[in-house]
Structures are given as C-alpha cells and as structure tokens.
Amino acid sequence: QVQVVESGGGFVQAGGSLRLSCTASGLTFDRYRMGWFRQAPGKEREGFSCISRGGSIYYTNSVQDRFTASRDAATNTLYLQMNNLKPEGTAMYYCAATRRVSGSCFDATQYDLWGQGTQVTVSS
C-alpha cells in the first residue's frame, strides 16, 4: 500500500521551532516528487517546499531561510525543520507525493498521494 504519514506537529510560541516527519511506504523517493503543504482554516492549500526525485530542494519566499526540508532514503522519511515560526504559520501541514515531473512543484493539483496532515499551532 502506497501511503505517507505525517507526524511532529504541535503547539509552539512564535519564534519557536518544530520538526515534522513524513514517513512514506510503498514508494521510493527516486521515483516520486515530494511536497510540503499547509492549509489554514478558510484558506487554500499552500505549497511551500518540495524535493525533486533527484533530491533538489525548493522553497517559497514565505519560508526560505526559516524552514529546511530533507529526506532520508534509508528510512523513507522526509523531514521539515521549521524555525522562527510565526502565528500565520498556524495550519494543518501535509506531505504529498506525485510521479508527475512537469508543472510547479508547489501546485497541490500536481499531487495525488496525501497524508492525513499534522496540526501546527503558533501562538503570538
């Protein structure tokens, strides 16, 4: 069964840090583009980081220099280190996978395998 499962969310004060994990099963990272997304209540799902099949990592300006994504092929796990969290970062965080290689890697419609999400709440 192909699936991804997120963990590591929680409650943190502004300026704090959290590390999210995404454990994948039934797939290998060299065949799937992986993305990190978040969705706040009443807002659209927003992509902010992605890792290509070759391991290149991309970020949007909103998280550049604060978030660090990585992957461990040995454990089939993605990690997202989030530093200097801001209250506007309160959202459900998801990882996602796709075998598509065209299109923007921040576009949620490009992905067809999603986890259940993990909640991140940042207090001011």
Side-chain angles (χ1 to χ4, degrees):
Q1 182 179 2
V2 182
Q3 65 176 1
V4 293
V5 179
E6 306 91 339
S7 61
F11 184 93
V12 65
Q13 290 187 334
S17 299
L18 282 174
R19 188 174 84 152
L20 305 184
S21 300
C22 170
T23 302
S25 57
L27 63 86
T28 56
F29 293 144
D30 61 347
R31 293 179 178 267
Y32 283 78
R33 176 194 283 186
M34 305 297 295
W36 284 103
F37 295 79
R38 60 189 178 187
Q39 188 168 20
K43 295 189 176 181
E44 292 188 358
R45 193 163 295 189
E46 170 199 18
F48 60 85
S49 181
C50 54
I51 303 179
S52 72
R53 296 184 304 176
S56 298
I57 304 174
Y58 304 93
Y59 304 95
T60 59
N61 289 339
S62 62
V63 304
Q64 183 79 49
D65 298 329
R66 297 188 299 117
F67 290 9
T68 303
S70 61
R71 71 182 190 185
D72 183 338
T75 60
N76 242 26
T77 303
L78 296 182
Y79 297 100
L80 182 69
Q81 177 65 42
M82 305 187 295
N83 298 327
N84 190 19
L85 282 160
K86 302 178 180 181
E88 53 265 38
T90 294
M92 187 71 79
Y93 283 68
Y94 300 89
C95 71
T98 181
R99 298 195 68 170
R100 298 185 178 92
V101 296
S102 61
S104 170
C105 71
F106 302 122
D107 180 359
T109 65
Q110 298 294 317
Y111 294 78
D112 41 31
L113 179 64
W114 293 84
Q116 83 289 348
T118 186
Q119 177 69 37
V120 172
T121 302
V122 186
S123 67
S124 58

